[in-house]
Amino acid sequence: MMLRKSCLTLGIVALAITAAPRDAKAICGGSNFATCATVNITKTLLANGNVQLLISVTNLSGTSGTWAGTVFTQIGAWGLPNSAAYVAGSLVVTGAASLANWQLGTSGLNGSGIQQFVVGVDTQNGLNGGLAGGTSGTFQFELTGVTLAQIDVNDWAIHGQGGPANCSTKLVSTNGVTNQGPYDAACSANIVPEPASLLLVATGLVGLGGLGARRRRRQV
């Protein structure tokens, strides 16, 4: 009897196939301003036929010259078929993130995010409860209507808020290549230049002023 139980257990475990991700590396970029993150996605085929996704995210905003105040409010795996559907109640949140502040994703990243072809999570209260710079969170949930082969663990999208002039940004990675927008023209026009950019502008104006003075002296 014990032997039969052992064999049955082994048979069930064998159905749980995990596809490990590549080593996560920092990806920096953005649609309206630059942010930075590491994202590690693991996909597992469960015994019940569902696919489990485990998404680990670290907000590295503020590094490599990126905007330090960016808060991640939506995170998802990119490029899934429209048939992919969430298993209700399957979300498990750990790390700096809290289940009380996050939910299975809704439509909201226009063109590059938590839509039918991207599955993931978003905050229930926008910036409040989002993943701030220097913090990490792990999000685990189950899907139906999708196979392991249809999920590329290197393709993902993040929506960051709290940027300059209250703008938001979309950070998209497709096999480590970023970024694919979308761009918000109204938002981009309101972004305040960084101090380094202002210094360059000021230096240019001083140079133009000197050039004008020299021309006036020559005319006298």
Side-chain angles (χ1 to χ4, degrees):
M1 186 67 179
M2 291 297 293
L3 180 60
R4 290 196 187 95
K5 287 185 177 179
S6 298
C7 292
L8 180 59
T9 301
L10 288 173
I12 294 175
V13 171
L15 291 175
I17 303 172
T18 299
R22 299 175 187 172
D23 293 335
K25 65 176 182 178
I27 299 292
C28 302
S31 55
N32 296 312
F33 60 91
T35 189
C36 202
T38 59
V39 178
N40 200 331
I41 300 177
T42 302
K43 55 183 180 180
T44 302
L45 179 61
L46 302 176
N48 59 7
N50 296 342
V51 172
Q52 181 188 80
L53 282 188
L54 182 67
I55 305 177
S56 299
V57 181
T58 298
N59 185 340
L60 298 177
S61 298
T63 63
S64 303
T66 58
W67 186 261
T70 309
V71 177
F72 294 165
T73 55
Q74 294 179 308
I75 303 159
W78 172 274
L80 275 71
N82 291 343
S83 57
Y86 299 113
V87 174
S90 64
L91 180 61
V92 177
V93 182
T94 56
S98 167
L99 181 58
N101 296 323
W102 291 83
Q103 63 188 359
L104 291 172
T106 59
S107 178
L109 268 171
N110 183 28
S112 66
I114 314 301
Q115 293 188 331
Q116 290 181 338
F117 53 93
V118 176
V119 298
V121 293
D122 61 14
T123 60
Q124 299 184 48
N125 300 300
L127 285 169
N128 297 324
L131 204 61
T135 62
S136 301
T138 299
F139 308 91
Q140 176 182 296
F141 53 91
E142 293 182 30
L143 299 169
T144 61
V146 65
T147 66
L148 287 184
Q150 291 173 312
I151 303 172
D152 188 333
V153 297
N154 299 293
D155 294 353
W156 46 264
I158 288 176
H159 183 196
Q161 294 182 264
N166 293 319
C167 286
S168 64
T169 191
K170 278 81 175 179
L171 175 60
V172 179
S173 174
T174 304
N175 282 317
V177 179
T178 186
N179 187 283
Q180 300 179 359
Y183 293 83
D184 182 346
C187 179
S188 299
N190 293 325
I191 292 181
V192 179
E194 296 179 1
S197 300
L198 291 174
L199 178 60
L200 289 174
V201 172
T203 303
L205 291 175
V206 169
L208 289 174
L211 178 59
R214 285 196 298 272
R215 286 179 176 174
R216 286 194 295 273
R217 283 198 299 271
R218 289 176 184 173
Q219 292 172 355
V220 173

